Amino acid sequence: MKRIDGNPPAASAAVTVRGLVKHYGETRALDGVDLDVREGTVMGVLGPNGAGKTTLVRILSTLLAPDAGHATVAGHDVLRQPRQLRRVIGLTGQYASVDEKLPGWENLYLIGRLLDLSRKAARARADELLERFSLTDAARRPAGTYSGGMRRRLDLAASMIGRPAVLFLDEPTTGLDPRTRNEVWDEVKRMVGDGVTVLLTTQYMEEAEQLASELTVIDRGQVIAGGGIEELKAKVGGRTLRVRPADPLQLRPLAGYLDELGITGLASCTVDAERGSVLVPILSDEQLTAVVGAVTAHGITLASVGTELPSLDEVFLSLTGHRAGAPQQPAPAETREEVAV
């Protein structure tokens, strides 16, 4: 194992990653990833299918060994101290991993005993988490009879049995309906409020904005951007100019005049009829001035002009060249299960 120290870890970092590399044959799933996750925060890791997100989670949770680099979680080295590390983390993957033949309560009790809780403590913890995740009424039913949302909540409860300091959530709401997704988000927020550090991989822009305080964007195994959501939006450099004419009948003509300017940005010039405005992507103050000048030249009276930062989805598109959820070239058949995220 080659250790790459790189930059020192950030102050109060619960997760520190330096120069992490992982190959699957000719496929380089991770290509020198650096990452810091501050204690008590949610780090959102964004990336298209095949970017390396799940590979990163599997390494940090000791399920997979890196080929190079170094990582610590809650102060424990992923290679040198795997047993200690496993005692302070929780993991929820893309699919529920509970035993569907066992009742929900027995699933949680069993995990508690495997974590060396006493019988009394394991029973109490199972009862506590079933109530917290609104599963008490289904406690004695086999998990296989649960709905998808209930199984996901049970899976989250199972990851919390050992009161982890760091929780890894690998696309935890994939396939869930909006209501259940919101319930999962509420639970994640509650966990963070209790002091848990969360590393969340997701392809849902709304999920990232709801939960993450910081973001890391991974593409083809490399970190291509990172920072707060507003910081990333600012880094892209694009803004949307919202122009609202005083006369609603001037909306379509205004859009036509602005299209003639040939201004290009993160998206095309569009009409927001509901709010009576035209949205124009701009990349500079000079373009803003050009828009206002064009409006004045055509004698259109404006009710308001304002600028907005791009959406997170537009940021992702600008950084990676494709929208979240769009797959990259698939990995070779023998490695696809490892690389797919």
Side-chain angles (χ1 to χ4, degrees):
M1 164 60 60
K2 176 184 177 184
R3 173 169 176 160
I4 303 175
D5 290 315
N7 299 323
S12 302
V15 179
T16 302
V17 176
R18 293 292 179 269
L20 216 56
V21 174
K22 182 63 183 179
H23 297 105
Y24 297 111
E26 297 298 318
T27 302
R28 201 172 179 91
L30 296 179
D31 191 9
V33 169
D34 291 341
L35 181 70
D36 288 304
V37 185
R38 292 182 293 113
E39 290 180 358
T41 66
V42 179
M43 168 64 78
V45 179
L46 300 176
N49 291 328
K53 302 189 303 295
T54 292
T55 297
L56 174 63
V57 168
R58 295 188 69 182
I59 290 174
L60 294 178
S61 56
T62 75
L63 297 176
L64 194 65
D67 295 323
H70 175 249
T72 60
V73 178
H76 301 294
D77 189 290
V78 296
L79 286 175
R80 299 173 185 167
Q81 300 168 300
R83 287 189 177 183
Q84 297 94 318
L85 190 155
R86 290 170 192 148
R87 290 185 175 275
V88 296
I89 65 171
L91 170 63
T92 294
Q94 296 179 27
Y95 305 100
S97 58
V98 296
D99 189 326
E100 295 193 348
K101 294 182 179 180
L102 292 179
W105 187 91
E106 289 188 23
N107 265 284
L108 300 186
Y109 175 79
L110 176 62
I111 293 172
R113 294 293 289 148
L114 290 172
L115 292 173
D116 294 332
L117 296 182
S118 67
R119 288 184 176 86
K120 181 178 179 180
R123 285 195 295 269
R125 187 65 173 150
D127 290 339
E128 174 189 350
L129 288 171
L130 285 169
E131 182 176 357
R132 175 170 172 173
F133 285 86
S134 303
L135 292 170
T136 301
D137 291 344
R140 301 298 173 179
R141 283 170 40 198
T145 67
Y146 288 12
S147 67
M150 292 171 67
R151 283 197 296 271
R152 174 53 72 197
R153 295 205 304 275
L154 182 63
D155 207 35
L156 279 170
S159 71
M160 296 297 294
I161 284 285
R163 302 182 189 276
V166 178
L167 180 62
F168 297 109
L169 301 179
D170 190 14
E171 300 193 20
T173 62
T174 297
L176 297 184
D177 61 84
R179 177 183 173 184
T180 305
R181 186 176 300 161
N182 285 329
E183 291 175 353
V184 171
W185 291 351
D186 289 342
E187 287 303 328
V188 173
K189 292 173 184 176
R190 188 184 304 180
M191 293 173 193
V192 176
D194 291 340
V196 177
T197 302
V198 176
L199 188 147
L200 165 79
T201 74
T202 183
Q203 293 185 38
Y204 296 124
M205 298 298 105
E206 184 183 3
E207 184 161 85
E209 295 206 72
Q210 280 279 334
L211 299 177
S213 52
E214 293 185 80
L215 297 176
T216 293
V217 182
I218 296 180
D219 196 26
R220 295 177 175 84
Q222 296 183 326
V223 173
I224 61 173
I229 292 176
E230 297 305 315
E231 180 184 354
L232 278 180
K233 289 180 179 180
K235 280 182 179 178
V236 169
R239 290 171 292 168
T240 297
L241 186 63
R242 182 179 289 274
V243 183
R244 187 163 66 90
D247 182 358
L249 295 178
Q250 292 291 332
L251 191 60
R252 298 289 175 181
L254 174 60
Y257 299 149
L258 296 180
D259 275 336
E260 292 175 4
L261 292 176
I263 293 177
T264 59
L266 296 176
S268 303
C269 175
T270 58
V271 173
D272 183 351
E274 183 176 346
R275 297 177 61 181
S277 55
V278 177
L279 303 179
V280 189
I282 59 173
L283 299 173
S284 67
D285 290 339
E286 290 74 15
Q287 288 180 326
L288 188 155
T289 302
V291 169
V292 175
V295 173
T296 302
H298 285 87
I300 297 176
T301 302
L302 296 181
S304 64
V305 177
T307 59
E308 302 170 356
L309 287 173
S311 70
L312 189 54
D313 194 51
E314 288 172 329
V315 171
F316 190 89
L317 174 62
S318 176
L319 291 170
T320 66
H322 40 73
R323 295 193 178 277
Q328 296 179 348
Q329 291 296 320
E334 67 273 14
T335 66
R336 194 168 300 157
E337 181 181 354
E338 301 285 342
V339 180
V341 292

